[in-house]
Amino acid sequence: MSRKLRNVATSSITVVGAGIFGLWQALVLARAGHRIHLIDKSEKPFTASASRWAGAMIAPDCEAEGAPTVVRDWGREGLDHWRATYPGLIVNGTLVVAAARDQSELTRFENMTQRAERKDAQALADLEPDLAGRFNAALYYAHEAHMGAGAALAWLRDAVYAAGAQVSFGANFDPKPDGLIIDCRGMGAKDDLPKLRGVRGERIIVATNDMRLSRPVRLLHPRQPIYVVPQGDGRFVIGATVIEREDAEPMTVKSALDLMSTAYALHPAFAEASIIDMGAGVRPAFPDNIPRILIAQDGRTLRVNGAYRHGFLLAPVLAHAVADYLKTGARHAAFADE
């Protein structure tokens, strides 16, 4: 095994797919000294990637409310990697709020997560003045972070170039190139991964100068819980639906109404906000919603897939896991044989 790993490390590595998984794989491996060729089928970067629809919150403890424990634990590692790597990361924490009639939801959320600070109405107003008087209590996860998805993807692409990798957009995938293949195609790999399913997620980008937020806010709501992520310049990402369907058709009227009406419940300024963009992406997921690194074709291919809602959170963890595997043969818990 060790001799095989040394041969892989000194040969070329082709990373297929320039979404958040592929970009992190290419960056970490190029910086580790491997010869990397990152390829993607899209002529224009990121147009076919589910990553461009992400809210891009690095919120491991909030995600634990509806995810397996490993997502929280790996996500905390992911947060550390983002903080050490990306200068555009905004570490202002996450707020979770609920209407007075839904306080049981806030208590449930608190009981299912860790590291929350409970804030009263005044403490909430101190953190987010534009939410003053709107909610009686909040949960504050001070260590969590966020970023703009598009800006982060572009920065990672440029960092991959700077690390010495070859990058080809509009390139077809050759299933038998020289060296190792790291397959990060998401739903594009479904024919090779029969257990992979698509989960549709929809989000809206709006603009308003009538309110400000300094951090992501999650509103717990019995019909449609949402997150609102500030992007700067008065722009906000409102998301996201989770629908067990694989079509990437435009957003439905129902989903748009659900997201926008819940945003209005967070703050009435959203009623007059301009809609900048709305759309849907299809997230790849395995049955347990935990991403995997699958060893295929006698070790000639590693399939890194199954991001579900956690692509930005877990991409750096999986990239460092692959780098460690190629260096030492050690298998992170995310590894499995195909």
Side-chain angles (χ1 to χ4, degrees):
M1 173 67 78
S2 61
R3 182 168 62 184
K4 182 177 182 180
L5 288 172
R6 282 197 297 270
N7 290 340
V8 166
T10 57
S11 66
S12 64
I13 299 176
T14 301
V15 179
V16 187
I20 192 64
F21 274 10
L23 288 167
W24 264 101
Q25 292 288 330
L27 178 60
V28 170
L29 293 174
R31 287 182 172 180
H34 299 276
R35 289 187 288 116
I36 301 299
H37 186 191
L38 174 63
I39 67 173
D40 193 274
K41 67 181 181 180
S42 299
E43 292 281 351
K44 185 177 179 181
F46 319 130
T47 54
S49 173
S51 302
R52 72 189 182 99
W53 300 104
M57 296 171 290
I58 311 301
D61 284 280
C62 282
E63 286 300 311
E65 177 264 342
T69 302
V70 294
V71 171
R72 180 199 66 205
D73 295 342
W74 297 354
R76 289 174 179 172
E77 297 176 33
L79 176 58
D80 290 340
H81 288 307
W82 276 108
R83 293 182 74 149
T85 304
Y86 180 46
L89 190 69
I90 302 169
V91 186
N92 281 347
T94 304
L95 276 172
V96 181
V97 298
R101 65 178 180 276
D102 298 323
Q103 286 303 294
S104 62
E105 284 294 299
L106 200 66
T107 300
R108 180 193 61 81
F109 196 99
E110 183 178 23
N111 290 337
M112 296 184 71
T113 59
Q114 297 178 352
R115 302 184 179 180
E117 302 172 30
R118 185 169 274 269
K119 302 292 185 181
D120 61 17
Q122 183 56 57
L124 169 59
D126 292 341
L127 286 168
E128 293 292 356
D130 283 357
L131 296 183
R134 300 199 56 77
F135 301 97
N136 296 328
L139 302 176
Y140 181 41
Y141 299 81
H143 56 288
E144 296 186 338
H146 72 284
M147 68 193 86
L153 292 170
W155 185 91
L156 287 167
R157 175 201 59 201
D158 293 345
V160 169
Y161 279 116
Q166 180 184 355
V167 181
S168 301
F169 286 97
N172 293 321
F173 171 44
D174 177 2
K176 295 181 180 180
D178 294 332
L180 177 69
I181 300 171
I182 300 180
D183 184 352
C184 302
R185 289 177 294 154
M187 290 302 296
K190 188 175 180 181
D191 287 346
D192 297 311
L193 295 170
K195 292 184 179 180
L196 198 69
R197 77 187 197 282
V199 180
R200 180 179 166 96
E202 299 156 312
R203 65 98 174 99
I204 302 171
I205 299 178
V206 302
T208 177
N209 291 319
D210 294 333
M211 68 165 294
R212 295 183 62 186
L213 293 174
S214 298
R215 55 190 54 80
V217 177
R218 297 178 182 231
L219 174 60
L220 306 180
H221 190 278
R223 185 177 70 253
Q224 179 60 66
I226 64 166
Y227 59 73
V228 177
V229 185
Q231 302 287 288
D233 298 324
R235 296 190 176 207
F236 301 87
V237 175
I238 302 171
T241 59
V242 179
I243 302 172
E244 292 286 341
R245 287 192 356 231
E246 296 187 359
D247 66 278
E249 295 299 314
M251 177 179 281
T252 65
V253 171
K254 180 183 183 303
S255 293
L257 288 172
D258 285 346
L259 290 175
M260 289 188 290
S261 62
T262 309
Y264 176 76
L266 177 68
H267 197 287
F270 284 119
E272 300 299 324
S274 301
I275 297 174
I276 305 300
D277 187 25
M278 62 171 59
V282 179
R283 311 157 173 138
F286 291 117
D288 60 2
N289 297 331
I290 299 174
R292 295 281 190 277
I293 304 168
L294 299 174
I295 303 173
Q297 299 177 329
D298 295 324
R300 298 189 303 274
T301 297
L302 299 180
R303 305 195 195 279
V304 186
N305 213 317
Y308 187 51
R309 294 165 44 114
H310 313 303
F312 274 75
L313 182 65
L314 300 183
V317 177
L318 301 180
H320 283 276
V322 168
D324 290 344
Y325 172 70
L326 297 181
K327 182 178 180 180
T328 69
R331 291 194 185 190
H332 185 276
F335 271 91
D337 292 309
E338 190 173 65

